[in-house]
Amino acid sequence: PTRLSPPQQLSPPPPPPEDEFKPSPSLVKFMVTLGFSKEQSERAVRATRTKTEKEVYEKAQPWLLKQRVEINRADFAAPREVFTWDHMDMDGYALRWGSDNKAANLS
């Protein structure tokens, strides 16, 4: 017969570090009124340790906008696949209908 060992007690998760900054709900709400999402606002307030509305303008908002610029630059530099046909306008709508306007490549 196989003997089972008694169930092991899992230790509780460690408490958060004492220096962990908790964003103020009022500052997060204030940033939401500026047009940012709640998640973005919380991340910016926490990252910049913002404590006043003035600091939102001085620290959190510029930090968040800079993050967005970096994401946009990476997205812009990413490779893309482009499709074009001779009879297509700039919006991508066919100006001439039918399958004879398709081409295998751009040449």
Side-chain angles (χ1 to χ4, degrees), residues 23-46 48 50 52-53 55-57 59-65:
S24 162
S26 64
L27 290 178
V28 171
K29 188 174 182 179
F30 178 67
M31 284 197 70
V32 169
T33 64
L34 297 176
F36 300 104
S37 72
K38 183 179 178 188
E39 293 77 22
Q40 290 173 324
S41 301
E42 287 175 347
R43 191 174 67 232
V45 171
R46 182 178 294 114
T48 58
T50 301
T52 66
E53 287 185 8
E55 286 182 345
V56 165
Y57 290 114
K59 295 166 40 176
Q61 187 178 20
W63 181 88
L64 192 54
L65 293 173

Side-chain angles (χ1 to χ4, degrees), residues 12-104:
E18 289 183 25
D19 66 341
E20 184 176 318
F21 185 81
K22 296 196 183 341
S24 162
S26 64
L27 290 178
V28 171
K29 188 174 182 179
F30 178 67
M31 284 197 70
V32 169
T33 64
L34 297 176
F36 300 104
S37 72
K38 183 179 178 188
E39 293 77 22
Q40 290 173 324
S41 301
E42 287 175 347
R43 191 174 67 232
V45 171
R46 182 178 294 114
T48 58
R49 296 183 172 268
T50 301
K51 296 177 182 159
T52 66
E53 287 185 8
K54 182 179 179 185
E55 286 182 345
V56 165
Y57 290 114
E58 294 172 350
K59 295 166 40 176
Q61 187 178 20
W63 181 88
L64 192 54
L65 293 173
K66 184 178 179 189
Q67 302 298 310
R68 192 67 234 167
V69 167
E70 297 302 322
I71 291 169
N72 287 345
R73 281 190 181 141
D75 186 45
F76 179 75
R80 289 178 171 64
E81 188 173 19
V82 178
F83 298 96
T84 185
W85 294 275
D86 289 339
H87 300 283
M88 180 184 290
D89 67 1
M90 297 306 290
D91 293 334
Y93 290 99
L95 296 177
R96 189 173 78 195
W97 298 104
S99 61
D100 60 336
N101 61 345
K102 293 183 180 178

